[in-house]
Amino acid sequence: MTRRVLPYRAPTEDVVSAETWRLVVEDGEVPLPEAMPDWDYQLDLPLRRTVRVDLERARLQSGLPDDAPLVLSAVWTATGSNLSGPAQQIPMPAHATGMAEFDFRLRGADLGGLLLLDTALLLAERRVDARPSTPRRAGSVLWSDRQTLRLQGDAPQFPMAVIDFARTSFPDDAAWHLQISGSLDSATMGSLLLLVNERNSTTANAFQKASKPGPVDRVVLSAVYADAARIMVEHALNQDDFTEDTDFPEGSLGATLLNLVEQLFPGQSITDIRLRRQQSPALFASDLQAAVKIFEV
């Protein structure tokens, strides 16, 4: 991990000894993997981590007084849902060695995409009499690290969240909505979000059972995938800079859309596809329906 250059004195990395994050499972605990291919939004993540801090050295090397209040903080960010928040904060004692036992649960409905777990040793309170070269603002970072987890198992293979549409601007009775934001150069995981209306029990249940769907669930999922593909393709074709010759960054929305169009319409140029949609939208809709193989369950 590359150490950040801070505008104030900070301790060396070895003042903190941090164990890896652990995932709590039925049989105990396992080290947090790099990816969870079977994850879905119904699966919460119970997480634990032990962190030990040489507080005397941490304060001394930072130019802080012996009684400067410090806190260890864990913060999570999910690129799929565009949500983030504090997971847990643990005040550090005044004596020489401090140990923090993080233990919390993240709701699966809040997650998706890439989960970032940031742990930091922070100055807890502002110091009005601090020298310019030492930390003085509350929240000043003395040490930090980040561990990531790719949540790959969400059924549509892009981020999703289950919400109550009555609390949004979407129609109360709509079953789902695919949200696309950002430019074609934006990261895919931050640009796509499938929202499922929790009030539509048939659709919500289908995604809950996505790993082992029943006959009705398969039909519902097929309809959602087909509709999501249609929206993504139409969004792409509406962008003037969406062409085969555009060099989209890896992992970008443009690269994802280009790959989708090439899979659905192999051997056809984007110019021809765009023209066909403009001249015969009804026939194009049928072409797209055939390409996604709707209801082939």
Side-chain angles (χ1 to χ4, degrees), residues 19 55 87 96 123 145 169 186 201 215 292 296:
E19 298 179 2
L55 295 166
L123 181 64
D145 80 346
S169 59
S186 302
S201 58
V292 299
E296 288 191 13

Side-chain angles (χ1 to χ4, degrees), residues 11 15 54 63 91 100 140 214 240 243 274:
V15 303
D54 186 332
S140 294
D240 294 336
T243 69
R274 185 177 277 124

Side-chain angles (χ1 to χ4, degrees), residues 219-240:
V219 172
V220 172
L221 293 174
S222 180
V224 177
Y225 298 158
D227 191 48
R230 175 189 62 79
I231 294 171
M232 292 169 69
V233 169
E234 290 183 345
H235 179 84
L237 297 178
N238 286 335
Q239 312 301 311
D240 294 336

Side-chain angles (χ1 to χ4, degrees), residues 1 33 39 57 67 82 85 92 97 108 123 131 139 149 201-202 215 224 234 241-242 245 272 276 286:
M1 177 178 174
W39 179 85
R57 290 175 58 214
D67 60 349
N82 288 321
M92 290 289 92
T97 301
L123 181 64
R131 296 180 179 179
L149 169 65
S201 58
T202 302
V224 177
E234 290 183 345
D241 54 345
F242 183 75
D245 299 328
D272 290 343
R276 185 174 181 83
S286 297

Side-chain angles (χ1 to χ4, degrees), residues 160-173:
M160 66 167 294
V162 181
I163 61 174
D164 184 354
F165 276 25
R167 300 179 180 178
T168 71
S169 59
F170 307 130
D172 291 1
D173 297 327

